[in-house]
Amino acid sequence: MSFSIIRLIPGDPVLHLIGERGASEETIAQIKKNLGLDKSVVEQYLIFTGNAVRGEFGESIVSKQPIIQEFKVFWPATFELAFFAILWSSIAGVILGIVAAVKRNSVWDYGAVSLSTIGFAMPVFWWALLVIFFFAVTLGLFPVSGRIGVEYDVPYRTGFFLIDSLFTEDKGAFFSALKHLVLPAFVLGTVSLALIVRVTRSAFIDIQKEDYIRTARAKGLKPAQVVFKHIFKNALPQILTALGLAFGQLLTGAIMTETIFSWPGLGRWLIKSIEARDYPAVQAGIFYSMLIIIIVNFLTDEAIKVVNPKLRESL
Amino acid sequence: MKMTFVALTLFVSSFAFAAQNFVFCMEGSPSSFNPQIVTDGVSMNSSAQTIFNRLVEFKYGSTEVGPGLAESWTIAADKKSFTFKLAKNVQFHSNANFKPTRPFNADDVVYTFKSQLDTKHPLSIPAANYEYFNAMDLGQIIADVVKVDDNTVTFKLKRPEAPFLANLAMDFASILSKEYAEHLIKSGKGLKALETAPIGTGPFIFKSYQKDSAVRYTANPQYFRGKPKIENLVYVIVQDPTVRLQKMKSGECHVMTQPQPQDLPQIAKLPNAKIVSIEGLNVAYVAFNAEKKPFTDAKVRQALSMAMNQKSYLDLIYQSQGTAAKNPIPPSMWSYNNSTKSHTYDVAKAKQLLTEAGYANGFETELWTMPVTRPYLPNGKKLGELIQADLAKIGVKVKLVTYDWPVYLEKSRKGEHQMIQMGWTGDNGDPDNFMNILLSCSSIKTGSNLARWCDKDFDALITKAKEDSNMAARTGYYQKAQLIFNEKKPWYAVAHAKANVVISDKVVGYKIDPFGHENFQSVDLK
């Protein structure tokens, strides 16, 4: 799939490299030969699958660096961003969802639902610029873009700046990395917030109607006990499923967020590779993104089994 | 609760701007740090202008060629041999894996050029195409590069070539260390490391690059023109122009490139920054495909040119950031012919010309509009719409067409267009770089002559100008050639765009460069 789609888009990577300048037929043929693009599509495909099985994706046409090398740098950036985005949006989303469900049809309910829907409907790039303008430029609380302050040169260890920065002598590096993370994670998280609020709310409302809840209430349990012990526990599988879905959505949202915040992650890398028709990079990028989504979905399924033993057989 | 508050305060106050860092915010990521193989401005600025030097160099902020690693040079009477005297005791940088044992000398120069000239040279990078070296035709011009002694080098040319000296001042002609290249091969790292761990003689030493994020340099204490004033130089990559501006406002950038024209009035009011501008060495144009009917007829091209309202394009698209074009070269370039006629906007006359050409009822055609923003053309689609409306007045129905940038380039190279928007930014300050690449008969084959216009008289003039090294004679040839261009109208020359850079008021000694080079060797912070 990833092999054919990028090749179906018209446009030659070699001409993109050359730009307005133009070059003779011989030079272009030579470049193509060097890149292995002179072979037939079938041959290219066989080479691609052969290498992919061994986990090799070759070199980027643009940067001429091994793809795996680039990937190692970019995926932790996206993961770090997506992790914190999902962290805050799931905490906030679950709380808002519970409040909305418990105080159904009140100002709280309408407020929580409309707030999260607005967050969802707002174009990410515009929302990001708004957030930058207010929090970074007007208030000066956070940096505008980037992953860490320019004064810190963090050597690569894991690629996760929050971890790598702890290894540097200057402890300011960690705070700098954390501060750079706040705005992009906030913006990215608003995309999945709406989904989590709605799923939590509807799960709660459904479960509230169940017989065992009525029984629990009749037993004389305090409302808080009912909410957390009985309803929340039963709503958790649905919420976890939503989180798994939200993660996939986040990877898409990350493309916009990373571009605006100059966040050197997978999304931006993929977009730039598509623009330049960098075949090997796009193939690998799509392949790895799918792999991450599959792993995350697998993990959420496992987590659901842990929280709700009843579902172990059905999954 | 108290703890959270303390943590939050700590967190917010830890953001402090270290004064010794000079931050340059640029629009893209460098693709490689070997100036011989890159072609884009961002990569050139990140490598050639900071890490390297050339034999001759453009003086800071001008197109004039002055000494670089060569202190002086002589040109033989037959104009086919250039001899350079090299500066002594210039040291190459060192990095974790390499310490130079000798200063820069003639061997480095011979290696730099021979490895690009001959792909079988042992130190030639495997599978490198040396695009710029070949695009400037140096493979066809240089016969040999000879070491006379340690500090003297002679270039032997196959034919007299006037722009040769200016070509040597271009970024791709940066001098690399032969000792380093040999070391890379011996240590098994391979010549690929030239792209990621560059060694040069320039004002700054390469420290690290985090892809799509930042490039870091430190001042070269042994720089032969004196140590730069900035200790740590950081190039930060911020793709989005709006975000770049926000970073400038919040004080996170000292210099930022390519502000959007619509943001300029707002920037002018900023208390902590200012705009520096220069007449760009560029041109934006609409080429008429002279191989396709009805554009084979000069009358049609003249008629269409007359129906286009240049003033509205300048006002609406360039928003006072461009000057009206009439010649293929910009006014700041030597040999610009000021006596050629400006575009006349006359709808009635245009209709009459079209009738004379046999198209009284007009015709249908296509105009390709630029899909990307380039310094010379901020908005191709908008320009297309204005042209469409203008030409409708003389009965010419224009369909606007556009493609993704790579497709656009590919199709236009093959001449599939009828009318097309394109532009050009000068490389070496020589008129040959515009006239020959964009309008000569031979560049129809290479695809860069988008008008696909081949005029024998014009071609003879620019060929003569290329071979003669007498400045006055060359000026004469180019001025005559511009008259022919102006009459035959293979293009509608639209505008020459100004180049703008925004700098913080803390920056001292910064000069904007006509080529778009960014060089911080003599810049400082207040």
Side-chain angles (χ1 to χ4, degrees), chain B residues 10 14 59 70 87 110 126 158 176 215 221 271 322 354 394 400 408 485 493:
Chain B
L10 232 161
S14 69
K59 289 185 180 153
V110 174
K158 289 180 189 161
L176 272 59
V215 194
L354 213 55
I394 58 165
L400 299 180
Y408 193 86
F485 170 87

Side-chain angles (χ1 to χ4, degrees), chain A residues 149-166:
Chain A
V150 291
E151 59 270 44
Y152 304 108
D153 185 9
V154 180
Y156 180 91
R157 271 171 211 270
T158 59
F160 296 96
F161 271 26
L162 289 182
I163 298 170
D164 289 358
S165 61
L166 291 173

Side-chain angles (χ1 to χ4, degrees), chain B residues 85-100:
Chain B
K85 279 269 171 233
L86 308 180
K88 284 175 194 159
N89 294 320
V90 177
Q91 291 295 337
F92 277 103
H93 307 154
S94 19
N95 65 17
N97 298 310
F98 173 73
K99 297 248 167 326

Side-chain angles (χ1 to χ4, degrees), chain A residues 47-256:
Chain A
I47 295 171
F48 165 70
T49 36
N51 288 339
V53 169
R54 274 175 279 136
E56 278 173 28
F57 284 95
E59 281 178 6
S60 155
I61 293 178
V62 176
S63 72
K64 298 173 188 84
Q65 298 301 311
I67 303 275
I68 191 83
Q69 209 65 40
E70 304 207 320
F71 185 77
K72 265 199 226 152
V73 177
F74 290 131
W75 90 266
T78 299
F79 192 84
E80 204 168 59
L81 180 63
F83 178 78
F84 282 94
I86 205 115
L87 188 71
W88 91 259
S89 66
S90 54
I91 293 173
V94 167
I95 293 173
L96 280 177
I98 294 177
V99 170
V102 173
K103 312 228 174 216
R104 203 175 159 199
N105 292 336
S106 71
V107 182
W108 291 96
D109 185 14
Y110 296 137
V113 172
S114 45
L115 207 70
S116 61
T117 313
I118 290 172
F120 178 71
M122 196 123 57
V124 175
F125 69 93
W126 187 67
W127 176 227
L129 287 175
L130 219 64
V131 165
I132 290 178
F133 182 75
F134 188 69
F135 289 102
V137 179
T138 311
L139 295 180
L141 289 178
F142 299 103
V144 175
S145 73
R147 262 187 103 184
I148 197 163
V150 291
E151 59 270 44
Y152 304 108
D153 185 9
V154 180
Y156 180 91
R157 271 171 211 270
T158 59
F160 296 96
F161 271 26
L162 289 182
I163 298 170
D164 289 358
S165 61
L166 291 173
F167 288 99
T168 57
E169 282 170 20
D170 194 340
K171 286 296 162 265
F174 176 75
F175 285 110
S176 179
L178 201 58
K179 250 164 55 178
H180 279 80
L181 188 59
V182 174
L183 293 187
F186 173 65
V187 167
L188 185 56
T190 42
V191 180
S192 41
L193 184 66
L195 180 71
I196 296 167
V197 169
R198 269 190 255 166
V199 169
T200 313
R201 181 176 171 273
S202 68
F204 260 63
I205 290 173
D206 285 349
I207 295 165
Q208 268 176 340
K209 290 180 198 146
E210 296 281 342
D211 290 344
Y212 57 84
I213 301 298
R214 203 174 47 206
T215 314
R217 287 218 172 101
K219 273 199 307 191
L221 288 178
K222 283 179 197 156
Q225 275 179 313
V226 178
V227 168
F228 290 104
K229 253 188 154 167
H230 294 269
I231 311 182
F232 185 66
K233 217 172 160 189
N234 284 296
L236 208 51
Q238 286 186 49
I239 297 171
L240 282 173
T241 314
L243 281 184
L245 284 175
F247 196 86
Q249 213 180 42
L250 278 189
L251 288 181
T252 339
I255 294 176
M256 268 335 268

Side-chain angles (χ1 to χ4, degrees), chain A residues 150 153, chain B residues 21-24 26 28-33 42-43 45-47 50-51 195-196 198 204-218 232-237:
Chain A
V150 291
D153 185 9
Chain B
N21 285 298
F22 187 95
V23 184
F24 168 63
M26 59 183 181
S29 310
S31 55
S32 157
F33 290 89
V42 165
S43 302
N45 280 336
S46 315
S47 61
T50 32
I51 307 165
E195 296 182 35
T196 50
F204 292 94
I205 300 173
F206 175 83
K207 205 168 132 205
S208 69
Y209 171 43
Q210 264 156 356
K211 199 173 179 216
D212 285 355
S213 170
V215 194
R216 287 156 202 283
Y217 310 90
T218 48
N232 295 309
L233 179 64
V234 189
Y235 283 13
V236 176
I237 297 143

